[in-house]
Amino acid sequence: MIEMNHVRKSFGAHTVLDDLSLAVGERQIFGLLGPSGAGKTTIINILTGQLDADSGVHDMDAAPSDVGLMLDEDGLYVRLTCLENLAVFATIYGLGKAAPLEALRSVGLEEAANKPVRQLSSGMRQRLALARAILHHPKVLFLDEPTSGLDPSTARGIHQLILAQRDRGATIFLTTHNMDEAVDLCDEVALLNHGQIVEHGTPADICQRHHAIKTVPDLTAVFVEMTGATLP
């Protein structure tokens, strides 16, 4: 579904991606894990055509209209209501009038349909951003740290919504620095450090290779062991 082969990207003298290759299978949740600044968002920007790689090749088996994005900057119109925000994008996608309300219902925001975005809590804004990303039922969904800054209860709610998208058949590309989140959600993960993938596989397999399974896989221990990096 998604492939990158020997991709390099630099900004001036700073190398962000260094001969990076990865592959994501259809209908799975793929987690790209690493600290802030490791290159996770750059990879999404290249795959979605927002940024050109310096070298290497990449491909995605989905048209732009079949891709959903939930990025760190949500880009919501704060003076518009939740329903009005989604109506703007429903028009762009050529969807019917029922689609925005259906998307709000799917993320538990139906009762906030007529509330301006500026009055939403951070968790509600995250859910609205996710509703916008899944509005058109995309084949591929990119989620850039979708639970960053949220309390554990709200984050669990976002997790359930992500799993529901996988269950309906979407391929999900998730970036996070939360290793526990990756264990809970991801079918496969890749550990990214200084623009290079240093390990990949299922969370359980990676942890078994590094003797980091006690009662549950401990990806944090593996990452610190391999890179010496600290995570937020």
Side-chain angles (χ1 to χ4, degrees), residues 48 60-69 89 92-95 132-141 168:
T48 55
M60 180 165 55
D61 187 20
S65 58
D66 287 326
V67 175
L69 289 169
F89 287 87
I92 293 171
Y93 288 121
L95 303 175
R132 186 184 60 191
I134 65 176
L135 179 66
H136 56 304
H137 305 294
K139 288 173 59 177
V140 179
L141 184 59
R168 72 158 179 84

Side-chain angles (χ1 to χ4, degrees), residues 25 40 63-64 68-69 76 99 117 124 127 131 137 147 150-152 170 176 181 193 205 213 230:
K40 302 187 299 296
L69 289 169
L76 297 168
V117 168
M124 293 173 75
R127 283 188 283 155
H137 305 294
T147 60
L150 299 183
D151 65 84
T176 183
E181 179 172 81
N193 191 48
D205 286 347
I213 287 185
T230 58

Side-chain angles (χ1 to χ4, degrees), residues 210-232:
H210 295 270
H211 309 289
I213 287 185
K214 296 178 182 177
T215 56
V216 294
D218 187 355
L219 281 175
T220 300
V222 174
F223 193 83
V224 172
E225 173 196 327
M226 296 193 68
T227 67
T230 58
L231 294 167

Side-chain angles (χ1 to χ4, degrees), residues 19-125:
D19 196 34
L20 182 138
S21 298
L22 60 80
V24 180
E26 189 175 4
R27 297 188 177 190
Q28 70 171 206
I29 299 177
F30 176 86
L32 185 63
L33 317 181
S36 298
K40 302 187 299 296
T41 301
T42 299
I43 289 173
I44 287 182
N45 287 340
I46 290 173
L47 287 171
T48 55
Q50 301 175 77
L51 194 64
D52 291 329
D54 296 336
S55 62
V57 295
H58 57 88
D59 185 43
M60 180 165 55
D61 187 20
S65 58
D66 287 326
V67 175
L69 289 169
M70 181 182 175
L71 302 179
D72 184 44
E73 294 291 332
D74 60 39
L76 297 168
Y77 301 112
V78 296
R79 294 188 179 185
L80 299 185
T81 67
C82 296
L83 190 59
E84 289 168 341
N85 265 272
L86 297 191
V88 170
F89 287 87
T91 300
I92 293 171
Y93 288 121
L95 303 175
K97 293 184 178 180
L101 194 56
E102 176 187 336
L104 288 176
R105 188 179 297 117
S106 72
V107 299
L109 286 179
E110 186 177 11
E111 293 184 0
N114 296 313
K115 180 177 287 191
V117 168
R118 65 173 177 265
Q119 296 180 11
L120 301 181
S121 67
S122 58
M124 293 173 75
R125 284 186 67 138

Side-chain angles (χ1 to χ4, degrees), residues 110-191:
E110 186 177 11
E111 293 184 0
N114 296 313
K115 180 177 287 191
V117 168
R118 65 173 177 265
Q119 296 180 11
L120 301 181
S121 67
S122 58
M124 293 173 75
R125 284 186 67 138
Q126 292 283 72
R127 283 188 283 155
L128 180 59
L130 181 57
R132 186 184 60 191
I134 65 176
L135 179 66
H136 56 304
H137 305 294
K139 288 173 59 177
V140 179
L141 184 59
F142 288 94
L143 304 176
D144 192 6
E145 302 194 3
T147 60
S148 178
L150 299 183
D151 65 84
S153 177
T154 303
R156 283 193 295 272
I158 296 290
H159 290 173
Q160 292 305 310
L161 296 172
I162 293 170
L163 290 169
Q165 290 304 302
R166 192 271 310 276
D167 291 344
R168 72 158 179 84
T171 299
I172 298 171
F173 191 106
L174 169 75
T175 75
T176 183
H177 55 243
N178 185 329
M179 301 297 173
D180 293 333
E181 179 172 81
V183 170
D184 291 340
L185 292 179
C186 296
D187 300 298
E188 291 191 7
V189 299
L191 306 186

